[in-house]
Amino acid sequence: MTEEKDTLTFAKRLKYSTLASHDSVDTLVMQSEPFANEENYIKFLRVQHIFHLSVAPLYHQPDLQTLLSGLAELPRLFAVESDLADLGLTLNVDKKDVACIDHLYEAIGWLYCSEGSNIGAAFLYKETQKLNFDAHRGARHLSAHVDGRAPHWRKFVAQLDALNLTDEQTDQAVKGAVDAFDFYKKTLKRIF
Ligand code: HEM
């Protein structure tokens, strides 16, 4: 990192504080070969389902909706569930495997992780074509936002940067983002 911590925008703080977490998740996902065959892809969908089940309530939380307008339109839980249904799979999940996020500023870090994951998903989406899945069947949740991945991400980053959080709130959000990546890793290791 070349910039001083204090001069970083909030979104950059989140990014640089989770670089190692992101790299390890990226490596773990690739090592699990999610697109090698349908069996592996189903496991990957299960991981995504549990992650999106965990963050879904945050998109509907009134305080978070006030802070981040348009939030209610973004959750991808329904898309993941449709992908599972496309493959004839049940939506059953053990409640104890789903994360419960009840801290407002930590939740912002979880939302950062969830929304950012759609940037790298461009690559993952492409890989699903090998299994004949696409935005209409099996890989809906990895498809781009209607505004396009990059414009949507830039808009979300601008919203994060406009929040004007205190140092303490920022630290709590960073903790939430790190926790989100840790949770993803833990879930991935358990399912694969
Ligand atoms: C093999 C799996 C993955 C690959 C190849 C991948 C790749 C990428 C790439 C290329 C970017 C853009 C980086 C940039 O513009 O600087 C990105 C961003 C991001 N990804 Fe992933 N990703 C993967 C999985 C995930 C997962 C599972 C999550 C969350 C659970 C995630 C969360 C994020 C976040 C939060 C960002 C935004 C980083 C920022 O602040 O700019 N990624 N990813």
Side-chain angles (χ1 to χ4, degrees), residues 30-104:
M30 294 324 290
Q31 278 172 353
S32 57
E33 302 190 333
F35 312 106
N37 51 53
E38 202 164 301
E39 190 189 336
N40 284 7
Y41 185 60
I42 288 170
K43 288 185 187 169
F44 174 71
L45 273 184
R46 293 271 178 227
V47 177
Q48 294 286 82
H49 186 213
I50 291 171
F51 183 75
H52 286 286
L53 259 180
S54 302
V55 292
L58 308 181
Y59 289 87
H60 302 290
Q61 222 261 33
D63 290 339
L64 288 164
Q65 286 178 342
T66 305
L67 291 172
L68 301 161
S69 71
L71 196 59
E73 290 141 42
L74 302 180
R76 271 170 286 145
L77 177 60
F78 181 68
V80 186
E81 294 191 335
S82 303
D83 291 335
L84 286 164
D86 288 338
L87 278 84
L89 301 165
T90 65
L91 305 180
N92 296 347
V93 170
D94 196 330
K95 272 200 180 129
K96 73 168 175 25
D97 293 330
V98 178
C100 172
I101 305 115
D102 53 12
H103 186 289
L104 183 68

Side-chain angles (χ1 to χ4, degrees), residues 15 22 25-26 29-30 51 112-113 116-117 119-120 123-124 153 181 184:
K15 178 180 174 118
H22 182 277
V25 164
D26 177 341
V29 171
M30 294 324 290
F51 183 75
Y112 159 80
C113 183
S117 71
I119 289 282
F123 165 76
L124 305 184
W153 178 239
F181 278 107
Y184 193 94

